[in-house]
Amino acid sequence: SWSGTCRVIAPVLADLAKKLPNVTYLKVDVDELKTVAEEWNVEAMPTFIYLKEGNLIDKVVGAKKDELQQRIVLINLVHKYEIELVFYCFNFVSETRIS
């Protein structure tokens, strides 16, 4: 609730979830799951990690709406709808699906 950039970008992710429903969207509260954030080297909020079968494909750091949208569309096309986008931020419910 205190991170303005996380609150600003959350509706963008909700919109992407509607447009690209074959992508799994997850939100992670780094305050509650510090070990998970450390495992994925999350150092700034928000951080978006693109995964396929648990493997890192790409990463976007910051609330960069255009870059986030462009990469998810490109990665989604290349990897044929089998990706996960994990959104690391403060004060979000751990691993809650957006869509």
Side-chain angles (χ1 to χ4, degrees), residues 15-76:
D15 188 48
L16 284 172
K18 291 176 188 173
K19 292 177 183 176
L20 299 168
N22 294 331
V23 175
T24 301
Y25 299 82
L26 303 169
K27 289 190 264 185
V28 176
D29 180 336
V30 298
D31 287 334
E32 291 184 22
L33 296 173
K34 290 179 183 178
T35 57
V36 174
E38 289 171 4
E39 180 181 333
W40 291 101
N41 299 314
V42 175
E43 297 177 351
M45 301 317 137
T47 294
F48 303 90
I49 296 181
Y50 302 82
L51 303 171
K52 180 175 182 181
E53 298 173 358
N55 297 307
L56 179 68
I57 297 171
D58 204 350
K59 185 177 189 176
V60 173
V61 178
K64 301 171 186 170
K65 178 183 173 181
D66 293 337
E67 184 177 354
L68 179 65
Q69 291 176 323
Q70 290 169 356
R71 286 200 191 174
I72 195 168
V73 169
L74 177 63
I75 292 169
N76 192 36

Side-chain angles (χ1 to χ4, degrees), residues 60-94:
V60 173
V61 178
K64 301 171 186 170
K65 178 183 173 181
D66 293 337
E67 184 177 354
L68 179 65
Q69 291 176 323
Q70 290 169 356
R71 286 200 191 174
I72 195 168
V73 169
L74 177 63
I75 292 169
N76 192 36
L77 291 172
V78 170
H79 293 280
K80 300 180 182 170
Y81 304 104
E82 297 173 5
I83 65 170
E84 294 180 348
L85 175 60
V86 184
F87 173 29
Y88 287 90
C89 209
F90 290 109
N91 296 325
F92 280 95
V93 178
S94 305

